[in-house]
Coordinates of all heavy atoms in Angstrom, one line a residue:
G1318 N 112.4 88.3 98.0 CA 113.1 87.9 96.8 C 112.7 88.6 95.5 O 113.3 88.3 94.5
T1319 N 111.7 89.4 95.6 CA 111.2 90.1 94.4 C 111.5 91.5 94.4 O 111.4 92.2 95.4 CB 109.6 89.9 94.3 OG1 109.3 88.5 94.3 CG2 109.0 90.6 93.1
T1320 N 112.0 92.0 93.3 CA 112.3 93.5 93.2 C 111.3 94.1 92.2 O 110.7 93.5 91.4 CB 113.7 93.7 92.6 OG1 113.8 93.2 91.3 CG2 114.8 93.0 93.5
L1321 N 111.3 95.5 92.3 CA 110.4 96.2 91.3 C 111.0 96.0 89.9 O 110.2 95.9 88.9 CB 110.4 97.7 91.6 CG 109.5 98.2 92.7 CD1 109.6 99.7 92.9 CD2 108.0 97.8 92.4
Q1322 N 112.3 95.8 89.8 CA 112.8 95.5 88.5 C 112.3 94.2 87.9 O 111.9 94.2 86.7 CB 114.4 95.5 88.6 CG 115.1 95.2 87.2 CD 115.0 96.5 86.3 OE1 115.0 97.6 86.8 NE2 114.9 96.2 85.0
M1323 N 112.2 93.2 88.7 CA 111.7 91.9 88.3 C 110.2 92.1 87.9 O 109.8 91.5 86.9 CB 111.8 90.9 89.4 CG 113.2 90.5 89.7 SD 113.1 89.5 91.3 CE 114.6 88.5 91.1
I1324 N 109.4 92.8 88.7 CA 108.0 93.0 88.4 C 107.9 93.7 87.1 O 107.1 93.3 86.2 CB 107.3 93.8 89.5 CG1 107.3 92.9 90.8 CG2 105.9 94.1 89.1 CD1 106.9 93.7 92.1
G1325 N 108.8 94.7 86.9 CA 108.8 95.5 85.6 C 109.1 94.6 84.4 O 108.4 94.7 83.4
E1326 N 110.0 93.7 84.6 CA 110.4 92.8 83.5 C 109.2 91.9 83.1 O 109.0 91.7 81.9 CB 111.6 92.0 83.8 CG 112.9 92.8 83.9 CD 114.1 92.0 84.4 OE1 114.0 90.8 84.6 OE2 115.1 92.7 84.7
V1327 N 108.5 91.4 84.1 CA 107.4 90.5 83.8 C 106.2 91.3 83.2 O 105.6 90.8 82.3 CB 107.0 89.7 85.1 CG1 105.7 88.9 84.8 CG2 108.1 88.8 85.5
A1328 N 106.0 92.5 83.8 CA 104.9 93.3 83.3 C 105.2 94.1 82.0 O 104.3 94.7 81.4 CB 104.4 94.3 84.4
G1329 N 106.5 94.2 81.7 CA 106.9 95.0 80.5 C 106.9 96.5 80.7 O 106.5 97.2 79.9
M1330 N 107.3 96.8 82.0 CA 107.3 98.3 82.3 C 108.5 98.6 83.2 O 109.1 97.7 83.7 CB 106.1 98.6 83.2 CG 104.8 98.5 82.5 SD 103.4 98.8 83.6 CE 102.1 97.8 82.9
S1331 N 108.8 99.8 83.3 CA 110.0 100.2 84.1 C 109.5 100.4 85.5 O 108.3 100.7 85.8 CB 110.5 101.6 83.6 OG 109.6 102.6 83.8
P1332 N 110.4 100.3 86.5 CA 110.1 100.5 87.9 C 109.4 101.9 88.1 O 108.4 102.0 88.9 CB 111.4 100.4 88.6 CG 112.2 99.4 87.8 CD 111.8 99.8 86.4
P1333 N 109.9 103.0 87.5 CA 109.1 104.3 87.7 C 107.7 104.2 87.2 O 106.8 104.8 87.8 CB 109.9 105.3 86.9 CG 111.3 104.7 86.9 CD 111.1 103.2 86.8
E1334 N 107.4 103.5 86.1 CA 106.1 103.3 85.6 C 105.2 102.6 86.6 O 104.1 102.9 86.9 CB 106.0 102.6 84.3 CG 106.5 103.4 83.1 CD 106.6 102.6 81.8 OE1 107.4 101.6 81.8 OE2 105.8 102.9 80.9
I1335 N 105.8 101.5 87.2 CA 105.1 100.7 88.2 C 104.8 101.5 89.4 O 103.6 101.5 89.9 CB 106.0 99.5 88.6 CG1 106.0 98.5 87.4 CG2 105.4 98.8 89.8 CD1 107.0 97.4 87.6
S1336 N 105.7 102.3 89.9 CA 105.5 103.1 91.0 C 104.4 104.2 90.8 O 103.6 104.4 91.7 CB 106.8 103.9 91.4 OG 107.7 102.9 91.9
R1337 N 104.4 104.7 89.6 CA 103.3 105.7 89.2 C 102.0 105.0 89.2 O 101.0 105.6 89.7 CB 103.6 106.3 87.9 CG 102.6 107.3 87.4 CD 102.9 107.8 86.0 NE 103.2 106.8 85.0 CZ 102.2 106.1 84.4 NH1 100.9 106.3 84.7 NH2 102.5 105.2 83.5
L1338 N 101.9 103.8 88.7 CA 100.6 103.1 88.6 C 100.1 102.5 89.9 O 98.9 102.6 90.2 CB 100.7 102.0 87.6 CG 100.8 102.3 86.1 CD1 101.2 101.2 85.3 CD2 99.4 102.8 85.6
V1339 N 101.0 101.9 90.6 CA 100.5 101.1 91.8 C 101.2 101.5 93.1 O 100.6 101.4 94.2 CB 100.8 99.6 91.6 CG1 100.2 98.7 92.6 CG2 100.3 99.1 90.2
G1340 N 102.4 102.1 93.0 CA 103.1 102.5 94.2 C 104.3 101.7 94.4 O 104.8 101.1 93.5
D1341 N 104.8 101.7 95.6 CA 106.1 101.0 95.9 C 105.8 99.5 96.1 O 104.6 99.0 96.0 CB 106.8 101.5 97.1 CG 106.0 101.4 98.4 OD1 105.0 100.7 98.5 OD2 106.4 102.1 99.4
K1342 N 106.8 98.7 96.3 CA 106.7 97.2 96.4 C 105.7 96.8 97.5 O 104.9 95.9 97.4 CB 108.1 96.6 96.6 CG 108.0 95.1 96.5 CD 109.4 94.4 96.5 CE 110.0 94.3 97.9 NZ 111.1 93.4 97.9
R1343 N 105.8 97.6 98.7 CA 105.0 97.3 99.8 C 103.5 97.4 99.4 O 102.7 96.6 99.7 CB 105.3 98.2 101.0 CG 104.5 97.9 102.2 CD 104.9 98.9 103.3 NE 104.2 98.6 104.6 CZ 103.0 98.9 104.8 NH1 102.2 99.5 103.9 NH2 102.4 98.6 106.0
Q1344 N 103.2 98.5 98.7 CA 101.8 98.8 98.3 C 101.3 97.7 97.4 O 100.2 97.3 97.4 CB 101.7 100.2 97.7 CG 101.8 101.3 98.7 CD 102.0 102.6 98.0 OE1 102.9 102.8 97.2 NE2 101.1 103.6 98.4
I1345 N 102.2 97.3 96.5 CA 101.8 96.2 95.5 C 101.6 94.9 96.3 O 100.6 94.2 96.0 CB 102.9 96.0 94.5 CG1 103.1 97.3 93.6 CG2 102.6 94.9 93.6 CD1 104.3 97.3 92.8
Y1346 N 102.4 94.6 97.2 CA 102.3 93.4 98.0 C 100.9 93.4 98.8 O 100.2 92.4 98.8 CB 103.4 93.3 99.0 CG 103.4 92.0 99.9 CD1 103.7 90.8 99.4 CD2 103.1 92.1 101.2 CE1 103.7 89.7 100.2 CE2 103.1 91.0 102.0 CZ 103.4 89.8 101.5 OH 103.3 88.7 102.3
L1347 N 100.6 94.5 99.4 CA 99.3 94.6 100.1 C 98.2 94.5 99.2 O 97.1 93.8 99.5 CB 99.3 95.9 100.9 CG 100.2 96.0 102.1 CD1 100.2 97.4 102.7 CD2 99.8 95.0 103.2
E1348 N 98.3 95.0 98.0 CA 97.2 94.9 96.9 C 97.1 93.4 96.6 O 95.9 92.9 96.5 CB 97.6 95.7 95.7 CG 96.6 95.5 94.5 CD 95.4 96.4 94.6 OE1 95.5 97.4 95.3 OE2 94.5 96.2 93.8
V1349 N 98.2 92.7 96.4 CA 98.1 91.3 96.0 C 97.5 90.5 97.1 O 96.6 89.7 96.9 CB 99.5 90.7 95.7 CG1 99.6 89.2 95.7 CG2 100.0 91.3 94.4
M1350 N 97.9 90.7 98.4 CA 97.4 90.0 99.5 C 95.9 90.3 99.7 O 95.1 89.4 100.0 CB 98.2 90.3 100.8 CG 99.6 89.8 100.8 SD 99.8 88.0 100.6 CE 99.4 87.5 102.2
N1351 N 95.5 91.5 99.5 CA 94.1 91.9 99.7 C 93.2 91.2 98.6 O 92.1 90.7 98.9 CB 93.9 93.4 99.6 CG 94.1 94.0 101.0 OD1 93.3 93.8 101.9 ND2 95.1 94.9 101.1
R1352 N 93.7 91.1 97.4 CA 93.0 90.5 96.3 C 92.8 89.0 96.6 O 91.7 88.4 96.4 CB 93.7 90.7 95.0 CG 93.4 92.1 94.5 CD 94.0 92.2 93.1 NE 93.9 93.6 92.7 CZ 94.0 94.0 91.4 NH1 94.2 93.1 90.5 NH2 93.9 95.3 91.1
Y1353 N 93.9 88.3 96.9 CA 93.9 86.9 97.2 C 93.0 86.6 98.3 O 92.1 85.7 98.3 CB 95.2 86.3 97.4 CG 96.1 86.1 96.1 CD1 97.4 86.2 96.2 CD2 95.5 85.7 95.0 CE1 98.2 86.0 95.0 CE2 96.2 85.4 93.8 CZ 97.6 85.6 93.9 OH 98.3 85.3 92.7
Y1354 N 93.1 87.4 99.4 CA 92.3 87.2 100.6 C 90.8 87.5 100.2 O 89.9 86.7 100.7 CB 92.7 88.1 101.8 CG 91.7 88.1 102.8 CD1 91.5 86.9 103.6 CD2 90.8 89.1 103.0 CE1 90.4 86.9 104.5 CE2 89.8 89.1 103.9 CZ 89.6 88.0 104.7 OH 88.6 87.9 105.6
G1355 N 90.6 88.5 99.5 CA 89.2 88.9 99.2 C 88.5 87.8 98.4 O 87.3 87.5 98.7
A1356 N 89.2 87.2 97.5 CA 88.5 86.1 96.7 C 88.3 84.9 97.7 O 87.2 84.3 97.6 CB 89.5 85.7 95.6
E1357 N 89.2 84.6 98.5 CA 89.1 83.4 99.4 C 87.9 83.7 100.4 O 87.1 82.9 100.7 CB 90.4 83.2 100.2 CG 90.3 82.0 101.2 CD 91.6 81.8 101.9 OE1 92.5 82.6 101.7 OE2 91.7 80.7 102.6
A1358 N 87.9 84.9 101.0 CA 86.9 85.3 102.0 C 85.5 85.3 101.3 O 84.5 84.8 101.9 CB 87.1 86.7 102.5
A1359 N 85.4 85.7 100.1 CA 84.1 85.7 99.4 C 83.6 84.3 99.2 O 82.4 83.9 99.4 CB 84.2 86.4 98.1
H1360 N 84.5 83.4 98.9 CA 84.2 82.0 98.7 C 83.7 81.4 100.0 O 82.7 80.7 100.1 CB 85.4 81.2 98.2 CG 85.2 79.7 98.2 ND1 84.5 79.1 97.2 CD2 85.6 78.8 99.0 CE1 84.4 77.8 97.4 NE2 85.1 77.6 98.6
M1361 N 84.5 81.6 101.1 CA 84.1 81.1 102.4 C 82.8 81.6 102.9 O 82.0 80.9 103.5 CB 85.3 81.2 103.4 CG 86.6 80.5 103.0 SD 86.4 78.8 102.5 CE 85.8 78.1 104.1
R1362 N 82.6 82.9 102.7 CA 81.3 83.5 103.2 C 80.1 82.9 102.4 O 79.1 82.7 103.0 CB 81.4 85.0 103.1 CG 82.3 85.6 104.2 CD 82.2 87.1 104.3 NE 83.1 87.7 105.2 CZ 83.0 87.7 106.5 NH1 81.9 87.2 107.1 NH2 83.9 88.3 107.3
A1363 N 80.3 82.7 101.2 CA 79.2 82.0 100.4 C 78.9 80.6 100.9 O 77.8 80.2 101.0 CB 79.6 82.0 98.9

């Protein structure tokens, strides 16, 4: 349900700027999931 256009509107950037910085939507999603998981895993390992 999320588009690069929506991400751009929230971040204040155009979709091409987003793609240049982070990649496509799939890459951004994987980055988000990795970050959330990384924080949770660090907590649980502690």
Side-chain angles (χ1 to χ4, degrees):
T1319 301
T1320 65
L1321 278 181
Q1322 183 68 35
M1323 292 169 157
I1324 296 169
E1326 288 172 10
V1327 173
M1330 295 176 208
S1331 70
E1334 288 175 294
I1335 289 171
S1336 295
R1337 179 184 51 79
L1338 285 166
V1339 188
D1341 63 12
K1342 186 171 84 164
R1343 181 182 186 283
Q1344 290 169 305
I1345 297 168
Y1346 181 74
L1347 289 171
E1348 174 90 14
V1349 167
M1350 293 300 282
N1351 274 297
R1352 285 185 184 197
Y1353 281 146
Y1354 167 73
E1357 181 179 7
H1360 172 78
M1361 297 310 295
R1362 288 187 186 280

